[in-house]
Amino acid sequence: LHDALPICKILWHKNLVSDFGGSVPTWGYCESPLVDGDKVIIAPGGKNTIVAFNRNTGDVIWTSAVPEQDGAHYSSAIIAEVDGVKQYIEFLSNGVIGVSAKDGKFLWRYNNPANHTANCAAPIILNNLIFAASGYGTGGGLAQLASNGGNIEAKQVYFTKEMKNHHGGMVLVGDYLYGVDDRTL
């Protein structure tokens, strides 16, 4: 089998700590990079909270300095389009944030689902509604994203302690959201 595998060649490499001032989370960098066309999106955390690389060359397309300079956590980025604006959404140490896919401009923040220990499950988005949840006694909340004078605002619709989803992620099937409340484990 070894002889049948193609020889892999490293095309490019980045160090999220020394190259971008990131800070390794307690259990290491664990997110899966998001590949979107020719971009690779990753969160070093800190002053360059999110970085977009050219997937072929490794060149930096943009860096995004998110207010609060959130640390990286364990959830992977997702893509969404809200009111015609394509964005990348990350669940970082202090909350869920959205940045413009075009240039990394910070767009919005929703902090209530963050537990500051391990935010692991990727948020779920449907149209302009986003749900995020975490364990460690926190729970989950639904926020509505709305344009407001050129900015996007995240307004909480509800929050529940009955969805302390920790590792497994959540899925949306039709109009129903499924996940696990970690107290039942």
Side-chain angles (χ1 to χ4, degrees):
L1 180 64
H2 183 291
D3 294 335
L5 295 175
I7 296 174
C8 295
K9 179 177 132 184
I10 296 173
L11 297 178
W12 55 271
H13 175 272
K14 302 293 180 185
N15 184 305
L16 300 180
V17 176
S18 62
D19 296 346
F20 299 97
S23 177
V24 179
T26 303
W27 294 284
Y29 283 113
C30 297
E31 78 173 300
S32 298
L34 172 66
V35 178
D36 180 25
D38 284 339
K39 289 185 206 159
V40 174
I41 309 302
I42 193 84
K47 66 180 181 173
N48 296 300
T49 315
I50 300 174
V51 179
F53 298 104
N54 178 296
R55 77 175 173 96
N56 298 306
T57 65
D59 293 339
V60 174
I61 297 171
W62 51 253
T63 62
S64 182
V66 171
E68 298 182 31
Q69 297 186 358
D70 298 56
H73 256 220
Y74 309 101
S75 170
S76 300
I78 62 171
I79 302 171
E81 187 168 317
V82 177
D83 293 338
V85 177
K86 183 178 178 180
Q87 56 187 270
Y88 301 124
I89 298 171
E90 283 266 6
F91 196 174
L92 300 165
S93 61
N94 296 329
V96 182
I97 59 94
V99 300
S100 167
K102 183 174 105 179
D103 57 12
K105 177 186 172 202
F106 173 76
L107 299 172
W108 59 270
R109 165 182 292 284
Y110 177 46
N111 289 344
N112 287 355
N115 65 41
H116 309 291
T117 301
N119 300 317
C120 303
I124 299 287
I125 189 154
L126 177 64
N127 301 320
N128 66 339
L129 297 171
I130 187 156
F131 185 87
S134 67
Y136 294 96
T138 303
L142 181 75
Q144 182 174 20
L145 305 176
S147 293
N148 182 4
N151 296 316
I152 296 177
E153 186 176 15
K155 289 188 176 184
Q156 184 165 282
V157 175
Y158 69 82
F159 192 87
T160 179
K161 292 280 193 178
E162 302 299 315
M163 178 70 101
K164 294 182 275 303
N165 197 86
H166 188 53
H167 285 113
M170 302 163 290
V171 295
L172 183 66
V173 179
D175 292 334
Y176 295 93
L177 181 69
Y178 297 90
V180 175
D181 182 10
D182 71 3
R183 71 183 167 159
T184 61
L185 300 176

